[in-house]
Amino acid sequence: MAATSHASVKSRDGVSTRAGRWPLLGQRRALVIYLCVIVALDLVAITFFAATTVLQWRDLLTFAALMGCGAVCIEATRRLGVPAGVSRDLLSAWWLPVALLLPPVYALFAPIVLQILLQVRVRATVLYRRVFSSAAIGLAGCTASVTFHRFVENPWDLSRGSGPPIGFAVLAAVLFSLLNIALIAFAAHTADPDMTWREVLWDRESLLLDIVELCLGVTVSIGCGLNLTLLVLALPPVVLLQRSLLHAQLQAAARTDAKTGLLNAAAWQREADAEIVRARRTGDTLALLIIDIDHFKRVNDAHGHLVGDQVLAGVAATLRSQLREYDVVGRFGGEEFVVLLPSADIDEARRVAERLRTRIGHMAIPADNTPIRITISTGVALMSVHGDDLIDLLAAADLALYRAKELGRNRVCIPAVQPPPPRPLPPDPTL
C-alpha cells in the first residue's frame, strides 16, 4: 500500500484535529472496522500458535537466517532510497520459506520483524499501514503454512527434490499470494469504492512480479532445506533482482505525481505533445480539458492538508475510472488537473467534461465524521478550432476555465471561437 503524506493536519485555529493525531480515524468507518478485524485475527492467531508450538533450535536458527537475508535486502533498498509510492519488493523470497519450512507461528512473526526494519531503516510511513501489512502478510503466510504442513508431514522433504512436496509447496505459495492480494485489495477498495476491482487486484506487471516472487520463494525453500549456508548463494541474485525492480519503480515514480498517482506536469506535457503530433499527422480531432477543484483552499483551511490530499486522490481516482485507457491524464499543479482526449470532437469533449463534473460532485470524502463534497470547474479546448499546439490549447482551455469560475463555478465552459476577419474586396479595375 502506498504511503500517505506526512503533513500535519490542523484546524483553522491551529489546533491539531483528531484525524491529524490519529490518521486511521480520518479514514472511512468501513475501512477502520476492516483493518481492526484483520489485526485482531492476526493477534488471535499469534496467541494460539505461540501456545501450541514447541520451539526448536533448528527452527530458530533457520528463522534467524532468513530474517537476516531479509534485513540485507532492506539495507540494500535503504542505500538506494525509496520515495513514497514505491512499494513493491521481493521480501516474499524470505517470507515464503518461513511459511513452508517452519511452524505457522514463525510465518506470523516474520512480517512483523521485516516491517519494523522497513519503518525504521527505509521510510517511516503511517503506522496503521505497517501494522495492517504485517497482519495481512502474517495471516496469508500462516494459512499457507498450515495448508502445506497438512499435506507434507516433514517440510524438510523439500530438499530431496521429490515431486509431491514441491507440488504442494507451489500450491501453498499460490495460496499465500492470492490471500495476501485479496486482503490488501479489499482494504484498497474499501478506502476508495470508486476504484474498480481490476485496478486494485492485478495488472500484467503485478502478475509477472507475483510469479517471480513465487518461484524465488520455492527455490530458496529448497536450498534452505538442503543447507542453510546455501542462503549465502541465494542472497546476491535476490538483492540484484530487488535493485532492478526498485530502479524500474523509481523511473515510474519520476513520471508520477506522488499524491494522486497521475502523470506529473512534465510527463503529461511530453505525452500530450506526442499525441498532438500524431493528431496533426493523421488529421484526427483532439480535445483538452483543464479541471480545477472549486474552493479547494477552504478544504485545506477547514480540515487540514491531509484531508486535502485525500480529496486530490479521490478526484484522481474518479478521473481514471471515467476515462479511456489511452486518454492522457495528469496533475497540472495544486488543485488543477489536465486531460487530453484523442479523437474527441467538441460534443464528446463536453459530454466527458459534464460526466466528470457530475461524478466528482457525488464524491464524499470522510473527515471527522463529516463527509466533504466538492465541485469542479472545467475549461475545454479543441485542436484546430482553439489552437494548433499545446500552448495554444492550454491558453484557450485556461481562458474557458476562468470564464466558468466567473459564472459561478461548478460548470463546463468552452471558449468562443472568434469569426475570421472579413476578406478585403478586390480593387475595382474601373476606379
Side-chain angles (χ1 to χ4, degrees):
M1 301 173 69
T4 60
S5 172
H6 305 300
S8 60
V9 180
K10 293 187 177 181
S11 61
R12 244 180 277 189
D13 58 0
V15 180
S16 297
T17 65
R18 185 174 56 175
R21 295 190 300 270
W22 302 97
L24 178 61
L25 299 180
Q27 305 302 315
R28 296 176 181 271
R29 179 174 298 177
L31 177 62
V32 175
I33 294 174
Y34 174 72
L35 299 186
C36 291
V37 168
I38 295 300
V39 173
L41 288 175
D42 186 58
L43 293 175
V44 170
I46 290 174
T47 302
F48 174 77
F49 285 104
T52 57
T53 300
V54 178
L55 299 181
Q56 298 182 5
W57 282 109
R58 183 182 184 182
D59 294 341
L60 292 172
L61 182 61
T62 303
F63 181 76
L66 290 168
M67 292 299 96
C69 291
V72 172
C73 287
I74 290 173
E75 192 65 20
T77 299
R78 184 188 71 84
R79 291 182 179 277
L80 287 178
V82 181
V86 178
S87 58
R88 293 306 300 260
D89 52 47
L90 294 177
L91 293 178
S92 292
W94 316 115
W95 285 325
L96 198 53
V98 170
L100 296 178
L101 298 176
L102 304 178
V105 67
Y106 293 96
L108 291 165
F109 276 108
I112 297 176
V113 174
L114 296 185
Q115 287 290 337
I116 290 174
L117 288 175
L118 286 170
Q119 181 77 4
V120 174
R121 297 293 292 168
V122 179
R123 174 169 48 85
T125 185
V126 181
L127 188 58
Y128 76 85
R129 295 196 173 206
R130 292 288 188 203
V131 173
F132 172 73
S133 295
S134 299
I137 296 168
L139 289 175
C142 179
T143 304
S145 181
V146 170
T147 303
F148 179 71
H149 287 78
R150 181 180 181 85
F151 294 101
V152 179
E153 184 176 353
N154 182 11
W156 300 96
D157 287 343
L158 276 175
S159 59
R160 298 178 181 177
S162 56
I166 293 178
F168 286 123
V170 172
L171 291 177
V174 172
L175 178 63
F176 169 79
S177 181
L178 290 176
L179 185 56
N180 182 36
I181 290 171
L183 290 173
I184 294 179
F186 191 84
H189 190 268
T190 305
D192 185 4
D194 291 331
M195 294 181 68
T196 63
W197 283 105
R198 182 179 178 181
E199 290 178 306
V200 298
L201 284 171
W202 267 310
D203 55 29
R204 184 176 180 181
E205 293 298 324
S206 295
L207 179 60
L208 291 175
L209 182 56
D210 289 333
I211 293 174
V212 170
E213 288 184 305
L214 184 151
C215 295
L216 277 176
V218 174
T219 303
V220 171
S221 299
I222 295 173
C224 188
L226 287 170
N227 195 318
L228 275 181
T229 58
L230 290 178
L231 290 178
V232 178
L233 300 179
L235 184 58
V238 175
V239 171
L240 181 60
L241 284 172
Q242 176 145 330
R243 290 173 67 92
S244 300
L245 173 64
L246 181 59
H247 180 69
Q249 292 184 89
L250 289 173
Q251 285 184 322
R255 304 176 63 250
T256 305
D257 175 67
K259 291 183 179 179
T260 62
L262 302 177
L263 294 175
N264 57 32
W268 180 88
Q269 184 172 348
R270 288 193 296 270
E271 295 203 12
D273 279 328
E275 284 292 337
I276 289 175
V277 170
R278 185 198 60 79
R280 284 177 184 167
R281 185 176 64 253
T282 60
D284 287 346
T285 57
L286 182 146
L288 185 146
L289 314 180
I290 296 183
I291 299 169
D292 187 88
I293 302 175
D294 297 327
H295 302 299
F296 183 69
K297 187 176 183 299
R298 294 181 185 176
V299 175
N300 282 333
D301 291 344
H303 303 282
H305 292 283
L306 185 60
V307 175
D309 291 346
Q310 293 178 2
V311 171
L312 293 174
V315 171
T318 301
L319 293 178
R320 283 194 300 266
S321 66
Q322 295 298 312
L323 296 172
R324 303 165 296 185
E325 290 185 1
Y326 54 86
D327 292 332
V328 186
V329 191
R331 183 184 177 205
F332 211 49
E335 64 270 24
E336 282 192 346
F337 299 84
V338 279
V339 180
L340 201 72
L341 302 173
S343 305
D345 57 19
I346 196 67
D347 293 328
E348 183 177 358
R350 184 192 290 273
R351 285 196 300 271
V352 171
E354 288 290 351
R355 184 173 73 245
L356 294 175
R357 184 184 67 82
T358 302
R359 290 302 299 268
I360 292 174
H362 287 98
M363 285 173 45
I365 308 298
D368 294 334
N369 298 323
T370 302
I372 299 174
R373 298 194 178 274
I374 59 170
T375 60
I376 60 171
S377 300
T378 305
V380 182
L382 190 70
M383 185 174 171
S384 301
V385 176
H386 304 112
D388 291 323
D389 58 24
L390 183 60
I391 294 178
D392 291 341
L393 290 174
L394 285 171
D398 190 59
L399 185 64
L401 174 64
Y402 182 75
R403 179 63 175 164
K405 289 187 174 294
E406 275 190 332
L407 294 175
R409 296 181 168 84
N410 192 22
R411 66 190 66 237
V412 176
C413 280
I414 299 173
V417 180
Q418 297 295 333
R423 297 177 61 182
L425 296 175
D428 191 344
T430 60
L431 298 179

